[in-house]
Amino acid sequence: MPAPTLSLIMPVLDEASTIAATLDFLQPLIQRGVEVIVVDGGSHDDTAALAAPLCTRVVDAPRGRARQMNRGAAAAGGDVLLFLHADTRLPEDADRLIDAALAGRQCWGRFDVCLEGTTRLLPVIAIAMNLRSRLTGIATGDQALFMTREAFDAAGGFPDQPLMEDIEMSRRLKRLSPPACLRQKVVTSGRRWEQQGARRTIHLMWRLRWRYWRGASPESLAREYRHVR
């Protein structure tokens, strides 16, 4: 039986300053047969033009991370789907790690995360994120979610909501199997914490998650998130 094929889906918006470097890092995966689909949500800069020669294809989609990821999944040909933020770097052998993780009974998973930056709290925040995810079975987009095509379809894709789409997707996938929690790390930018202040951002995200758990609408949470930022 042939090995499952992997499609990497990257939603982007106005990433012209970094997209070439991000995709350069993925070239070894592309050379090993990984399909890389960049989904542009209406960038006002040269993101799509810069990405085109460095990925398998560029797909246009309505703005919104969930919508962009779903559009990318619809265009993808792989048996396994990996969703990667544009400011996140994978381990060099990510494709092999994912194949091994999904070889058993689990149909989805995520990586541990390392936050890149100068703020001293970032390593502590990353440890807390990884531990929380391991205890709850809930993953965030920063951790590079991956899943089989069957699991994605069974979950109904990412919910069309402006915030917490990764949390809701994790809840749906947990009904199918526990996640494969890989200890190998993806490296993602800590700019969100550094720009807004680490403690302030931690407090904001915990408050939003608490309200989401209590039933607040993603639309109201997104308005609050944008207002604070």
Side-chain angles (χ1 to χ4, degrees):
M1 180 180 294
T5 55
L6 176 64
S7 293
L8 186 156
I9 297 159
M10 181 184 295
V12 298
L13 182 68
D14 296 332
E15 297 283 356
S17 63
T18 59
I19 190 64
T22 297
L23 292 174
D24 277 342
F25 191 82
L26 296 176
Q27 293 310 301
L29 292 179
I30 293 176
Q31 292 170 11
R32 293 201 294 270
V34 175
E35 179 183 45
V36 175
I37 298 177
V38 172
V39 189
D40 186 68
S43 294
H44 294 95
D45 59 17
D46 294 329
T47 297
L50 292 168
L54 298 172
C55 66
T56 308
R57 69 176 114 168
V58 176
V59 176
D60 294 324
R63 180 176 178 176
R65 186 168 282 160
R67 293 175 181 179
Q68 290 172 243
M69 291 189 292
N70 287 339
R71 180 66 62 86
D79 304 311
V80 177
L81 306 176
L82 166 63
F83 298 91
L84 185 70
H85 289 184
D87 60 358
T88 301
R89 298 194 308 274
L90 292 167
E92 292 183 1
D93 57 345
D95 50 342
R96 299 179 181 119
L97 293 170
I98 291 170
D99 282 348
L102 299 179
R105 301 177 64 180
Q106 291 160 305
C107 63
W108 72 289
R110 60 37 158 206
F111 291 86
D112 273 1
V113 68
C114 172
L115 297 176
E116 189 173 57
T118 58
T119 301
R120 292 182 179 179
L121 276 177
L122 290 181
V124 178
I125 295 169
I127 290 171
M129 288 173 62
N130 296 329
L131 179 60
R132 181 194 66 223
S133 177
R134 190 163 276 106
L135 292 174
T136 64
I138 298 293
T140 67
D142 291 327
Q143 294 173 299
L145 280 163
F146 57 85
M147 64 205 69
T148 65
R149 165 76 68 174
E150 288 184 359
F152 177 86
D153 291 341
F158 285 91
D160 187 5
Q161 58 191 57
L163 200 66
M164 305 291 178
E165 77 287 338
D166 46 1
I167 305 300
E168 184 59 36
M169 186 61 159
S170 295
R171 287 178 174 177
R172 297 178 182 184
L173 291 168
K174 278 179 64 177
R175 299 170 189 154
L176 305 176
S177 83
C181 297
L182 302 188
R183 294 192 179 276
Q184 293 86 355
K185 292 180 173 63
V186 295
V187 179
T188 194
S189 172
R191 62 186 176 183
R192 176 176 56 177
W193 288 271
E194 293 190 322
Q195 289 172 354
Q196 305 298 324
R199 290 182 176 84
R200 184 185 185 198
T201 303
I202 292 169
H203 182 262
L204 170 65
M205 297 311 298
W206 274 106
R207 184 172 76 246
L208 293 178
R209 290 188 184 191
W210 170 253
R211 290 185 56 206
Y212 186 66
W213 182 73
R214 294 294 301 272
S217 72
E219 290 74 20
S220 67
L221 299 179
R223 286 193 296 270
E224 180 179 350
Y225 182 66
R226 286 193 294 266
H227 173 72
V228 172
R229 294 192 68 186

